[in-house]
Amino acid sequence: MIELLNKLTQCYGPSGNEEVIREFIIKEIKEYVDELVVDPLGNLIARKKGNGKKIMFAAHMDEIGVIVTYIEKEGFLRFANVGGISPYFSLFQRVKFKNGTIGVIGYEEKIKEMKDLNIDKMYIDIGVKNREDAEKLINVGDVACFVGDFYENGNKFTSKALDNRLGCYILIEVIKSSANFSNDLYFVFTVQEELGLRGAKTSAFSITPDYAIAVDVTDTGDTPGSKTMALELGKGPAIKVKDNSIITHPFIKNLMVDTAKEKNIPYQLEVLERGGTDAGAIHITKGGIPSGVLSIATRYIHSPCETVDQDDVKNAVLLLSAIASKKFN
Ligand code: CO
Ligand code: ZN
């Protein structure tokens, strides 16, 4: 588990730049699936054929990042967000471009109060003297991801991009599991979730599954002074009831809850007051697709130190494999 998840999190892949992470996943799963397609937007669709229902499992492979908007004559890079970037979380973090260039995010120190800290008052310092030198390394429009090593801390993992390489990892483990699947399974590694569920929209349209389950990280309420939320690390994978993009279809919610109970897998119920994920786009595709989400409670989402519990990950793989193997009428 540790080695594969480590490699997945460390792959470069901000939204719209998923080539590296996609190639890595292709190598990892190609021996285990019947069909492998990269669609026009870049979604990776892996199929394990079966006679039962058409089920789509989706995990986004893109991560948040920053995009260069302007290069100052002193060589500092101005930037905008790719996905949900917090100025506070970004300050003094390292970012890494596709060509390996690393920069540090600084800010205009004349800002009086930290509440005035906005991304347009920040810059990336790539260690050059002037614009000319910067342009030898970086162009306007280049995109960087955050730097954040993967490490194991007790029973927890911390890394950048656990949102959502963790979901990719869970799908890969289900693909590799020797479970006797009775359904027609589509494992979709989507692009551009962080920009508005874009890859999920097109892939769900072309597949038109009978049912869909997205796998993604979600918030917790288990750190000092955190907001009230009924999720804790280590209490089991979370079955989403509602977020801002979807109310889980009752059939899918019951399917997940009943399967967890049958298999004695711990689970928690999730209501997320802000945010959404791929299922939000999938369930309103074509005539409507009953959909839900299996979430992993995660601390410090969209920071380089996202943190999850190992047992929640293992139990998510067990629950998803059991659902994939179910016989439906
Ligand atoms: Co995210
Ligand atoms: Zn996500």
Side-chain angles (χ1 to χ4, degrees), residues 180-204:
N180 194 7
F181 299 128
S182 40
N183 295 296
D184 199 14
L185 304 177
Y186 289 78
F187 297 88
V188 185
F189 301 88
T190 62
V191 295
Q192 299 187 41
E193 188 268 355
E194 300 288 359
L195 297 181
L197 325 178
R198 294 176 186 174
K201 204 172 285 183
T202 58
S203 55

Side-chain angles (χ1 to χ4, degrees), residues 224-269:
S226 68
K227 64 183 164 314
T228 306
M229 188 178 182
L231 289 187
E232 287 175 52
L233 260 56
K235 292 280 169 69
I239 295 168
K240 191 185 293 283
V241 181
K242 181 190 181 299
D243 64 23
N244 256 357
S245 69
I246 188 171
I247 291 187
T248 297
H249 191 284
F251 175 80
I252 301 295
K253 185 190 155 198
N254 293 335
L255 170 67
M256 292 199 280
V257 169
D258 294 346
T259 309
K261 284 180 179 161
E262 283 161 26
K263 301 282 175 187
N264 270 320
I265 298 169
Y267 69 93
Q268 330 179 53
L269 293 174

Side-chain angles (χ1 to χ4, degrees), residues 60 163-164 193-194 216-217 277 302:
H60 69 88
D163 177 11
N164 188 26
E193 188 268 355
E194 300 288 359
D216 206 340
V217 303
T277 185
H302 286 196

Side-chain angles (χ1 to χ4, degrees), residues 251-306:
F251 175 80
I252 301 295
K253 185 190 155 198
N254 293 335
L255 170 67
M256 292 199 280
V257 169
D258 294 346
T259 309
K261 284 180 179 161
E262 283 161 26
K263 301 282 175 187
N264 270 320
I265 298 169
Y267 69 93
Q268 330 179 53
L269 293 174
E270 173 201 356
V271 177
L272 180 69
E273 295 186 52
R274 273 182 294 177
T277 185
D278 277 344
I282 298 168
H283 80 292
I284 48 174
T285 293
K286 287 203 171 170
I289 294 161
S291 304
V293 183
L294 188 63
S295 303
I296 303 295
T298 303
R299 292 179 187 161
Y300 324 126
I301 291 187
H302 286 196
S303 86
C305 305
E306 295 172 335

Side-chain angles (χ1 to χ4, degrees), residues 19-33:
E19 303 84 359
V20 174
I21 176 66
R22 184 173 57 235
E23 283 311 307
F24 180 85
I25 295 172
I26 288 173
K27 282 205 192 82
E28 202 58 42
I29 62 175
K30 62 172 190 262
E31 314 287 323
Y32 299 88
V33 297

Side-chain angles (χ1 to χ4, degrees), residues 1 5 150-159 162 166 169-170 217-218 220 222 232-238 266 268 295-299 305-317:
M1 162 150 79
L5 187 55
F150 178 96
Y151 68 97
E152 190 182 17
N153 194 359
N155 203 46
K156 297 186 176 68
F157 294 131
T158 295
S159 178
L162 282 169
L166 184 61
Y169 169 80
I170 290 166
V217 303
T218 193
T220 65
D222 68 345
E232 287 175 52
L233 260 56
K235 292 280 169 69
Q268 330 179 53
S295 303
I296 303 295
T298 303
R299 292 179 187 161
C305 305
E306 295 172 335
T307 298
V308 299
D309 183 274
Q310 298 192 24
D311 291 333
D312 291 345
V313 181
K314 288 177 197 150
N315 285 319
V317 173

